[in-house]
Amino acid sequence: MDRDQTDKDDEASAHERPTLKTLAFMTGLGVTTVSRALKDAPEIGAETRRRVQLVARQIGYRPNRAGVRLRTGKTNVISLVLNTEREIMSFVSDIIYGVSEVIADTPYHLIVTPYSRSQDPLDPVKYLVESGSADGVIISRTQPNDPRARYMLERGIPFATHGRTDMGLVHPYHDFDNYAFAAEAVRHLAGIGRRRLALVTPPVGLTYYGHTVNGFADALGEVGASEVPFNTVSIDQSIDQIRTRTAQLMRRDVRPDGFVSSAAAATLAIVAGIEDAGLKLGRDVDVVSKQSSELLHLFRRELLVVNEDFRLAGTELARAVLGWIGGGAPGSLQSVVKPGNVVSYSG
């Protein structure tokens, strides 16, 4: 064999993917022992498991997914289905971070399956199920009667929803208590003397729209405050739209002296609209807003905030999906987190 051919063979060997046979050769163990050690099988001694897993990390061993699927029928994939045009980047990055933390020490990998506003939200879910591309699915923007949840339940696909459905069907979910958020925001505003309140809602078709609206309305009745309708705006609208309509509202004779905002991005536009109308935040009007990153006080210290932890949401959703895959009862894989207190940074 000539030198050029030898160099090519050496280069090819250097780029070959490490296999179970590679690990077996390097550790002096059998292929079956190595495979079981990687899976933390209890019949393999702890020292042997540690040695095999250390060598696997050092040589960059990864299970061949095609081979795993042929042997087990599993893909070792969790898919996070996201509307990339509607979700804000902090939500996406924090959810991914939370999911990734949970699956880091498992055989599972995360893939993000995007879709746009022009698509039916069911389409990417159908693709994942019909192609067998994932063992579990996480969806957001959950609706009260969500066809995606029904479709996956009917086909026995493990999944979890960010937000609850209202279909009378049991499935894993994680949610933030938006009823409690809206109610606490109203109570806080009433406690500092605000009596005419406006609500910037989530999108009408999503489950947490109803939770938010009901919490707001019930607390208004409780504290004796009144609502200034702001039905032309939701957090899904553009910053410019929210800003313009807020300015129009604040130029009226009967205007709100308090806002409850369901998202930080919308709050930036609300404040801009207030100031466009010549009014001052903290003097003429107060705003209580949800936020997922502690940034709003850097924009205006007068803003009042309630924190929502999307990393926690990602963590809980991943645990729920893996729990269902592992045989857990779907009804035991549900969580709702209560909001903390309204936080003021202005002293």
Side-chain angles (χ1 to χ4, degrees), residues 82-89 92 112-117:
L82 291 175
N83 182 324
T84 51
E85 295 180 46
R86 298 292 192 185
E87 306 292 10
I88 58 175
M89 287 311 298
V92 174
V112 176
T113 303
Y115 68 98
S116 67
R117 75 177 78 184

Side-chain angles (χ1 to χ4, degrees), residues 162-225:
H162 185 219
R164 287 165 279 179
T165 61
D166 190 19
M167 305 185 293
L169 301 175
V170 178
H171 61 82
Y173 60 75
H174 174 78
D175 203 2
F176 181 81
D177 191 338
N178 287 284
Y179 179 97
F181 155 70
E184 182 56 30
V186 168
R187 293 188 195 105
H188 188 92
L189 289 168
I192 57 175
R194 301 307 186 183
R195 310 305 299 168
R196 302 182 308 279
L197 309 184
L199 173 64
V200 181
T201 70
V204 173
L206 305 187
T207 309
Y208 82 111
Y209 167 84
H211 297 162
T212 305
V213 168
N214 290 339
F216 182 79
D218 288 351
L220 285 178
E222 175 188 319
V223 301

Side-chain angles (χ1 to χ4, degrees), residues 287-306:
V287 178
V288 177
S289 175
K290 279 202 295 182
Q291 67 172 4
S292 59
S293 302
E294 295 190 19
L295 296 173
L296 282 178
H297 69 285
L298 301 177
F299 173 64
R300 294 289 185 276
R301 292 189 63 80
E302 296 85 358
L303 285 168
L304 306 165
V305 300
V306 174

Side-chain angles (χ1 to χ4, degrees), residues 55 123 149 155 204 228 233 277 282 299 308 314 319 340-341:
V55 174
D123 287 346
R155 285 154 183 80
V204 173
V228 178
V233 168
F299 173 64
E308 180 175 6
R319 287 175 178 161
N341 295 328

